Amino acid sequence: DIIAFIDADCVADKRWLEQLAKIYEKRPDVFVQGGLVLGSENIQEENKSSFFGLNNNHSRIRLREVNALVGANLSFRREVINFVGNFDEELHEGEDLEFSIRLRRYGIKLYLNEQAVVYHSSSRESTWFKAKRSFAYGKSRAILFFEYPKELLPAILIPIIHVSLIVMAILTYVLFSSIVASLLLLFISLSHQIFKISRSLKFIKGLDVLYFLRNIIEFIILPYILYVSCVYNLVLQSMKSIKANDVKRL
């Protein structure tokens, strides 16, 4: 038996289950697979690239191994749950990440089936809602780091580096009144996001200008909300851990 998950605010492609089932039938060694989560604007124009440059169906890789899958498009054989247990219900965000790491610790490979597609309409979500969700993602990443330090070390280092660059830029300006140095540090931190945005500019045709600008703003701000949340909660969890150890010693 196969168990498949989709979020309540997602719409499955008409061939979603068919694409998942094909792999399970042909590949008995595959126990877990997920698929792509595209924006709702791709439903009618699947042959076009999305705002962030996702390729169309014909150029997608059929199946590839990945480190983590998202709960909005996830499936596995029933025996997997019996083997590794259920999702961690205490986590409000990041339960799919925790589940993915736990699966890999048990030696189960995760596969992304790029032909199995669901559509999610993020355009109907307010920027404020997305900001709160980004903060929650950062918090869950910090909490999970103490349980899975080896697997999540790269995911923790990225926020630390970006937040450190922002802090250094502010201190450089405050202490040395050096605008050039501050801007340079900010540019280094933002360069990755700027590069992604520049790549997406060629897909602006046919998009509403306000929608495009909103995506640009969110594309820059939301990751930094996650970064700050992650570092803040990492410090918070570290302090709690130190305090707990001090209590044990007493």
Side-chain angles (χ1 to χ4, degrees):
D1 291 344
I2 307 300
I3 300 173
F5 286 88
I6 184 173
D7 278 3
D9 57 353
C10 290
V11 177
D13 183 83
K14 60 183 179 180
R15 299 185 62 194
W16 175 57
L17 289 175
E18 178 188 340
Q19 296 293 348
L20 292 172
K22 279 183 180 179
I23 297 298
Y24 286 120
E25 290 173 3
K26 294 180 180 179
R27 295 278 303 272
D29 60 309
V30 173
F31 286 88
V32 180
Q33 62 172 317
L36 295 179
V37 181
L38 303 182
S40 59
E41 63 271 14
N42 297 87
I43 296 178
Q44 299 299 328
E45 298 185 85
E46 182 53 55
N47 62 322
K48 293 182 180 179
S49 296
S50 71
F51 174 75
F52 295 113
L54 290 170
N55 293 326
N56 58 44
N57 256 329
H58 301 291
S59 61
R60 289 186 192 136
I61 300 170
R62 175 68 175 174
L63 193 73
R64 59 188 173 91
E65 189 176 346
V66 293
N67 291 326
L69 295 168
V70 294
N73 191 351
L74 176 65
S75 69
F76 45 79
R77 299 183 190 273
R78 183 180 294 274
E79 56 262 38
V80 169
I81 278 285
N82 299 330
F83 187 56
V84 305
N86 295 314
F87 289 96
D88 188 345
E89 296 182 6
E90 293 184 3
L91 292 171
H92 297 291
E93 299 288 353
E95 66 280 357
D96 46 4
L97 175 60
E98 190 278 335
F99 189 66
S100 295
I101 296 173
R102 191 154 25 106
L103 287 168
R104 287 168 50 211
R105 279 198 170 186
Y106 276 91
I108 300 174
K109 294 181 178 181
L110 312 180
Y111 291 94
L112 179 67
N113 182 347
E114 297 191 359
Q115 299 292 329
V117 179
V118 303
Y119 304 97
H120 174 254
S121 179
S122 61
S123 60
R124 289 181 291 181
E125 297 174 348
S126 68
T127 302
W128 175 246
F129 175 81
K130 292 178 182 179
K132 290 193 295 182
R133 186 172 57 190
S134 294
F135 189 87
Y137 284 151
K139 181 179 180 180
S140 66
R141 187 183 294 187
I143 292 172
L144 288 173
F145 173 71
F146 288 89
E147 189 173 354
Y148 304 104
K150 182 180 178 181
E151 291 86 352
L152 287 177
L153 182 59
I156 289 294
L157 286 176
I158 292 172
I160 291 174
I161 291 170
H162 281 285
V163 172
S164 298
L165 286 169
I166 297 295
V167 172
M168 287 170 62
I170 294 171
L171 290 176
T172 301
Y173 177 74
V174 172
L175 298 177
F176 304 105
S177 300
S178 177
I179 297 177
V180 175
S182 297
L183 290 176
L184 179 61
L185 289 168
L186 287 173
F187 178 78
I188 292 171
S189 179
L190 289 166
S191 58
H192 182 60
Q193 296 301 109
I194 293 171
F195 174 72
K196 285 184 177 180
I197 291 171
S198 65
R199 289 182 61 190
S200 70
L201 287 175
K202 57 183 177 181
F203 301 106
I204 191 172
K205 292 182 179 180
L207 288 174
D208 180 79
V209 175
L210 291 177
Y211 175 77
F212 178 78
L213 291 175
R214 176 187 168 188
N215 274 275
I216 292 289
I217 293 169
E218 291 178 352
F219 203 39
I220 294 174
I221 293 175
L222 295 181
Y224 281 89
I225 293 175
L226 187 150
Y227 297 156
V228 171
S229 171
C230 183
V231 173
Y232 168 74
N233 284 283
L234 190 65
V235 173
L236 208 61
Q237 292 296 320
S238 298
M239 291 174 66
K240 287 181 180 179
S241 180
I242 293 170
K243 187 179 288 185
N245 289 332
D246 289 341
V247 171
K248 285 180 181 180
R249 290 174 184 173
L250 294 175

